[in-house]
């Protein structure tokens, strides 16, 4: 028996109680009908479907060239890492369709918020590989001017960039600009609180943000099945009142189509969209990873048969949109990019130890000035010793 | 430390096999899982992969997924879940993958893990171990080299230990797991592959938390340090010997509880002390140590307690980290400033 179970006082008549408020103030029905928000259970595909014929051939050929260059970029960066020229490289091999499409759907004044694996999207945005890769080379945290390129620094703490994208898009809307932010995250990153907070904020603020989840099946060693019990990651949008789309992430035409629609949706003031692109990381997590510990060769082989670069080439050739000459040109351009990367990255980077103190604050504190003097004296002594 | 400070590590057991610090941590977890069915390991990639540093290697295979669990990628979720498990009587050991990736769990740590015993007037202790690889010197890119100890030691309710030797990796982790209070175990990741004679079949007895140990005796000055800076200090002491200073090295091992007794005993014996750590100096652990030593040993000091620490800057990119990390030369410079004139 608890205090709550005591018998009522026999004397007092019950006071009349006001009627309860409606279960949801001001609304008898849900504010948003979830049905149109639900992702189609089958991922959107374009290549090899009748839809492909309606796509602009020049756009498709452009995507193809970028895929070929993107694959070469991944290979070259991996080689540079083996040669000790990069500290670490998380390759996006197998995910090039998502990487290049994410950049291709944006206007110059739109913003990209890349995750740590997305240097190819950054390069596709126009940033030089030398600048895009400083973090991974190890000479500087972020190599490009984020304002000039409308591209945020790579975000290594997973999902933390997503609320930033929401805030930026919100600010653009407040300013009356029709700018869209596209934020990239992995399947693993969708488990972080920041992912959920970002979706909710975007929905409530009606911010023009497109969330692109690259579901490549793994977060390092952890497979999707241990990451989420949802029917799809696109379903995660529904609870926030955001439309979710599911797309074949290795079909560059489909990714482009879905992302372009999402960007248009956001730009036109209809709020955020969550896109899940189903893809696969063909390389290990990084060069330091031993993928054999958690996945079999069969699985990798099956995905190699669904390679985004080969897929695009096959379909463009079948459609008569690509000939040997165009394929050769794309390969040559990719080789040029690789040669340029080799040349740039085999040169020693310019390092200035005194830069460590340069941008901690707008003005160095008195203590930092002292510390900078100390390092300068040490460097002088080192130089004398040599 | 109640016993007289002596050079620890002493003579290796005859023909003892060599092991890495990573193997010692792994063995500690294995023995804890074996000895106590309430111990559960959880974290990102700790199962099938065995952790990105392989500290949990083989544990899921040996004890099953329920004892060593790959969680979704969410540090607040990992630690918050551990709180609930501990509330129900389990003894969770969580892994944060890297120092800087523990920050999403900060609220759980500060608001719940550290305070539950106090909030519940002792009725609900939380025997949680939080393992965090920390520190730099591994060529890691941004967010992979933080020395975050000051945040933790500044949070009442948390024990904070940081082993620097293979033997202590085992002993301190076992003691942390056995503790009925939450313990943050800061693992110096750049020492994971350091080797020493150590027999996993006959590990040393588990010591109570909170004891510093003198790694090298010295009569002129003492370097007070912990974790990743211990080998640097031993090297500096060796170099100092060549310059005529007999410098001791004191390994704190435990930051909370702090071993005032041993620290003061050693400092009073030599009269000169330098604190060395990788973390930024401003309001760092070294500041606390210098203040405590000054308060307690003032009349024995021949010179102010100096600090050699990382600069007050965000951790640099790998190609510049050597300029940030306290090295032998900076320690020798500090020793030279200990007012030797008279
Ligand atoms: C907050 C945080 N926790 C942990 C890590 C360590 N970490 C780096 S990548 C990664 C897996 C990410 O998986 P996913 O989001 O699927 O992206 P993918 O690597 O597949 O591109 C982890 C756990 C991190 N970078 N940030
Ligand atoms: Mg992934």
């Amino acid at each position: 028996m608890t205090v709550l179970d005591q018998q009522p006082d026999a004397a007092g008549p019950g006071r009349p109680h006001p009627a309860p408020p409606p279960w949801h103030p001001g609304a008898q029905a849900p504010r948003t009908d979830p049905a149109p928000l639900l992702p189609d259970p089958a991922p959107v595909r374009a290549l090899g479907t009748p839809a492909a014929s309606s796509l602009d051939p020049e756009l498709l050929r452009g995507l193809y060239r970028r895929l070929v260059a993107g694959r070469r970029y991944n290979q070259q960066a991996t080689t540079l890492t083996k040669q000790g020229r990069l500290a670490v490289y998380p390759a996006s091999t197998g995910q090039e369709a998502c990487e290049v499409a994410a950049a291709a759907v944006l206007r110059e004044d739109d913003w990209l918020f890349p995750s740590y694996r997305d240097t190819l999207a950054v390069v596709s945005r126009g940033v030089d590989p030398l600048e895009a890769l400083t973090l991974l080379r190890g000479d500087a945290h972020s190599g490009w001017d984020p304002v000039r390129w409308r591209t945020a620094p790579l975000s290594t703490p997973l999902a933390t960039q997503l609320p930033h994208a929401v805030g930026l898009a919100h600010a653009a809307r407040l300013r009356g600009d029709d700018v869209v932010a596209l934020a990239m995250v992995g399947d693993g990153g969708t488990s972080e609180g920041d992912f959920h907070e970002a979706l909710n904020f975007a929905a409530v603020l009606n911010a023009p943000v497109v969330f692109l989840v690259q579901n490549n099946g793994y977060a390092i060693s952890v497979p999707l099945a241990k990451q989420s019990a949802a029917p799809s990651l696109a379903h995660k949008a529904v609870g926030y009142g955001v439309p979710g789309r599911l797309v074949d992430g290795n079909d560059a035409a489909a990714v482009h189509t879905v992302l372009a629609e999402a960007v248009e949706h956001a730009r036109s003031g209809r709020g955020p969209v969550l896109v899940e692109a189903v893809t696969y990381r063909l390389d290990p997590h990084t060069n330091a990873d031993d993928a054999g510990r958690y996945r079999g060769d069969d699985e990798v082989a099956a995905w190699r048969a669904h390679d985004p670069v080969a897929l695009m080439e096959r379909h463009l050739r079948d459609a008569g949109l690509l000939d040997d000459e165009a394929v050769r040109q794309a390969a040559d351009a990719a080789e040029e990019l690789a040669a340029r990367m080799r040349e740039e990255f085999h040169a020693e980077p310019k390092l200035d130890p005194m830069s460590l103190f340069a941008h901690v604050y707008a003005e160095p504190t008195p203590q930092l000035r002292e510390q900078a003097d100390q390092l300068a004296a040490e460097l002088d002594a080192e130089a004398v010793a040599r | 430390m109640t016993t007289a400070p002596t050079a620890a590590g002493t003579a290796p057991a005859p023909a003892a096999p060599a092991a890495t610090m990573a193997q010692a941590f792994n063995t500690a977890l294995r023995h804890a899982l074996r000895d106590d069915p309430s111990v559960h390991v959880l974290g990102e990639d700790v199962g099938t992969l065995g952790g990105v540093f392989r500290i949990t290697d083989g544990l899921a295979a040996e004890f099953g997924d329920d004892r060593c669990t790959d969680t979704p990628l969410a540090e607040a979720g990992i630690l918050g879940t551990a709180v609930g498990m501990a509330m129900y009587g389990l003894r969770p050991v969580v892994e944060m993958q890297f120092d800087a990736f523990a920050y999403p769990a900060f609220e759980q740590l500060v608001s719940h893990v550290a305070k539950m015993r106090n909030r519940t007037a002792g009725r609900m202790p939380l025997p949680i171990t939080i393992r965090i690889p920390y520190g730099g010197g591994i060529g890691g890119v941004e967010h992979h080299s933080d020395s975050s100890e000051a945040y933790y030691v500044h949070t009442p309710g948390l024990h904070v230990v940081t082993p620097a030797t293979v033997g202590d990796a085992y002993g301190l982790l076992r003691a942390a797991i056995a503790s009925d209070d939450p313990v943050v175990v800061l693992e110096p990741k750049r020492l994971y592959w350091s080797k020493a004679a150590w027999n996993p079949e006959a590990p040393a007895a588990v010591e109570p938390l909170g004891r510093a140990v003198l790694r090298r005796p010295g009569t002129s000055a003492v370097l007070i340090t912990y974790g990743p800076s211990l080998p640097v200090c031993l090297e500096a002491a060796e170099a100092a010997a060549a310059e005529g200073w007999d410098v001791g090295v004191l390994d704190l091992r435990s930051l909370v509880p702090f071993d005032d007794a041993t620290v003061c005993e050693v400092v009073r014996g030599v009269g000169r002390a330098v604190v060395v750590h990788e973390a930024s100096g401003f309001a760092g652990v070294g500041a606390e140590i210098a203040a405590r030593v000054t308060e307690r040993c003032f009349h024995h000091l021949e010179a102010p307690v100096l600090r050699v620490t990382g600069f007050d800057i965000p951790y640099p990119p790998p190609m510049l980290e050597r300029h940030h990390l306290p090295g032998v030369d900076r320690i020798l410079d500090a020793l030279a400033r200990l007012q030797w004139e008279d």
Side-chain angles (χ1 to χ4, degrees):
Chain A
M1 168 117 153
T2 73
V3 292
L4 303 177
D5 301 318
Q6 282 161 14
Q7 292 302 306
D9 202 346
R15 254 183 291 149
H17 195 278
W23 68 273
H24 190 283
Q28 297 303 325
R31 285 163 300 171
T32 311
D33 177 4
L37 303 176
L38 278 168
D40 275 332
V44 175
R45 295 209 155 92
L47 296 174
T49 68
S53 54
S54 66
L55 292 167
D56 174 10
E58 217 18 75
L59 174 83
L60 293 176
R61 278 192 290 259
L63 283 174
Y64 169 74
R65 286 191 296 271
R66 284 174 171 219
L67 288 174
V68 172
R71 173 60 52 87
R72 193 67 189 86
Y73 167 88
N74 270 320
Q75 289 167 341
Q76 188 58 61
T78 302
T79 305
L80 286 167
T81 311
K82 287 188 184 133
Q83 295 165 340
R85 292 292 168 182
L86 296 181
V88 63
Y89 185 62
S92 56
T93 316
Q95 304 177 216
E96 290 92 346
C98 298
E99 297 285 320
V100 305
V105 296
L106 296 181
R107 283 192 333 215
E108 218 170 276
D109 60 346
D110 290 334
W111 275 74
L112 181 73
F113 284 78
S115 183
Y116 76 103
R117 195 181 294 289
D118 302 321
T119 60
L120 177 54
V122 174
V123 169
S124 306
R125 192 96 170 105
V127 176
D128 190 90
L130 197 63
E131 291 187 356
L133 287 165
T134 56
L135 175 86
L136 302 166
R137 189 187 201 188
D139 54 327
H141 290 317
S142 189
W144 66 88
D145 177 347
V147 178
R148 169 173 176 215
W149 293 104
R150 302 284 194 276
T151 300
L154 295 175
S155 177
T156 303
L158 299 166
T160 53
Q161 72 280 16
L162 305 180
H164 308 166
V166 175
L168 183 133
H170 178 55
R173 214 171 67 88
L174 291 176
R175 287 248 174 114
D177 301 334
D178 67 343
V179 161
V180 171
L182 189 152
M184 304 174 76
V185 67
D187 46 303
T190 66
S191 294
E192 288 284 2
D194 278 2
F195 170 82
H196 296 269
E197 296 179 27
L199 270 172
N200 191 44
F201 270 62
V204 168
L205 297 172
N206 202 40
V209 188
V210 175
F211 298 96
L212 170 58
V213 179
Q214 287 189 68
N215 170 9
N216 63 5
Y218 290 89
I220 308 186
S221 71
V222 179
L224 185 67
K226 287 188 182 177
Q227 199 64 247
S228 172
S232 78
L233 298 175
H235 275 76
K236 300 205 175 210
V238 181
Y240 298 104
V242 171
R245 303 289 308 275
L246 199 56
V247 61
D248 178 345
N250 286 15
D251 178 336
V255 180
H256 190 282
T257 304
V258 170
L259 285 180
E261 282 170 16
V263 166
E264 177 47 32
H265 179 99
R267 200 185 305 285
S268 65
R270 283 174 289 161
V273 181
L274 174 68
V275 176
E276 173 187 355
V278 182
T279 179
Y280 195 79
R281 151 166 78 64
L282 289 172
D283 282 338
H285 167 65
T286 66
N287 52 292
D289 179 36
D290 176 8
R293 278 184 172 242
Y294 55 83
R295 67 184 193 186
D297 294 340
D298 293 358
E299 184 185 295
V300 181
W303 277 95
R304 276 196 196 287
H306 193 57
D307 183 296
V309 189
L311 205 61
M312 186 63 125
E313 180 180 336
R314 195 159 65 238
H315 284 281
L316 289 187
R317 277 185 187 272
D318 288 354
L321 296 175
L322 199 69
D323 55 17
D324 289 347
E325 175 59 14
V327 170
R328 200 183 52 74
Q329 278 176 9
D332 286 351
E335 275 317 314
E336 257 173 52
L337 169 67
R340 174 159 160 215
M341 287 170 70
R342 284 194 297 273
E343 193 184 311
E344 287 182 342
F345 283 91
H346 282 297
E348 291 302 326
K350 284 195 199 66
L351 294 171
D352 176 13
M354 296 312 294
S355 69
L356 293 180
F357 302 96
H359 301 291
V360 184
Y361 304 97
E363 285 295 324
T365 60
Q367 291 73 28
L368 275 187
R369 280 186 216 282
E370 269 176 29
Q371 293 170 24
D373 289 347
Q374 182 198 333
L375 180 59
E378 288 176 8
L379 293 171
D380 284 350
E382 248 182 55
V384 169
R386 271 200 311 265
Chain B
M1 172 157 136
T2 45
T3 53
T6 52
T10 51
T20 63
M21 181 180 279
Q23 284 167 331
F25 281 126
N26 178 264
T27 306
L29 292 171
R30 177 170 286 110
H31 289 178
L33 285 161
R34 180 196 65 195
D35 295 349
D36 181 350
S38 69
V39 171
H40 287 254
V41 172
L42 55 158
E44 293 157 9
D45 301 285
V46 298
T48 311
L49 187 66
V52 293
F53 292 109
R54 304 294 185 265
I55 304 301
T56 57
D57 194 20
L59 300 182
E62 187 172 340
F63 298 97
D65 292 344
D66 281 346
R67 300 291 304 287
C68 181
T69 308
D70 278 331
T71 65
L73 205 172
E75 294 76 13
I78 294 168
L79 191 52
T81 300
V83 169
M85 291 168 74
M87 289 167 82
Y88 205 71
L90 299 184
R91 205 167 268 275
V93 181
V94 308
E95 174 173 305
M96 295 286 138
Q97 201 161 79
F98 276 86
D99 29 59
F101 305 144
Y103 301 144
F106 206 64
E107 176 172 34
Q108 290 292 339
L109 190 71
V110 170
S111 298
H112 296 291
V113 174
K115 295 188 175 126
M116 192 67 90
R117 176 187 287 280
N118 184 259
R119 293 168 66 212
T120 61
R123 297 181 188 99
M124 186 172 275
L126 294 179
I128 301 175
T129 301
I130 300 127
R131 297 184 32 245
I132 309 178
Y134 85 120
I138 61 156
V141 302
E142 212 185 8
H143 309 296
H144 289 79
S145 299
D146 281 13
S147 289
S148 36
E149 60 267 32
Y151 304 132
Y152 303 122
V153 301
H154 198 63
T155 304
L158 299 177
H159 290 314
V160 183
V161 301
T162 176
T165 66
V166 173
D168 276 359
Y170 181 89
L172 289 176
L173 183 51
R174 288 299 311 260
I177 297 171
S179 168
D180 286 335
D181 276 322
V183 183
V184 175
V185 180
L186 295 170
E187 303 179 352
K189 64 173 96 81
R190 73 158 125 152
L191 301 183
Y192 270 151
W193 311 116
S194 64
K195 266 196 164 178
W198 182 75
N199 186 356
E201 300 313 317
V206 176
E207 288 192 58
L209 299 174
R211 296 194 176 172
V213 63
L214 196 66
R215 297 289 178 196
R216 177 189 169 112
T219 51
S220 349
V222 61
L223 302 174
I224 304 174
T225 191
Y226 54 86
S229 297
L230 175 64
V232 186
C233 287
L234 289 171
E235 205 188 316
E238 201 58 44
E243 303 195 9
W245 289 313
D246 181 18
V247 174
V249 178
L250 183 64
D251 175 6
L252 292 172
R253 307 202 288 181
S254 171
L255 303 179
V256 182
F258 188 83
D259 190 353
D260 278 318
T262 301
V263 172
C264 289
E265 187 182 339
V266 172
V267 173
R268 286 187 189 128
V270 294
R272 289 181 170 87
V274 177
V275 186
V276 182
H277 62 60
E278 252 180 64
S280 299
F282 196 89
V285 168
E288 177 65 27
I289 298 170
R292 303 186 78 77
V293 167
T294 306
E295 284 163 356
R296 286 167 177 73
C297 312
F298 185 71
H299 295 294
H300 295 79
L301 288 175
E302 307 287 341
V305 180
L306 297 183
R307 286 172 290 162
V308 179
T309 69
F311 294 125
D312 296 324
I313 58 173
Y315 198 87
M319 285 182 181
L320 290 171
E321 71 180 334
R322 74 178 182 90
H323 298 290
H324 173 67
L325 293 171
V328 169
D329 287 344
R330 262 179 218 161
I331 297 171
L332 292 177
D333 285 350
L335 286 169
R337 284 187 285 125
L338 289 177
Q339 304 185 3
W340 301 95
E341 303 75 41
D342 38 315

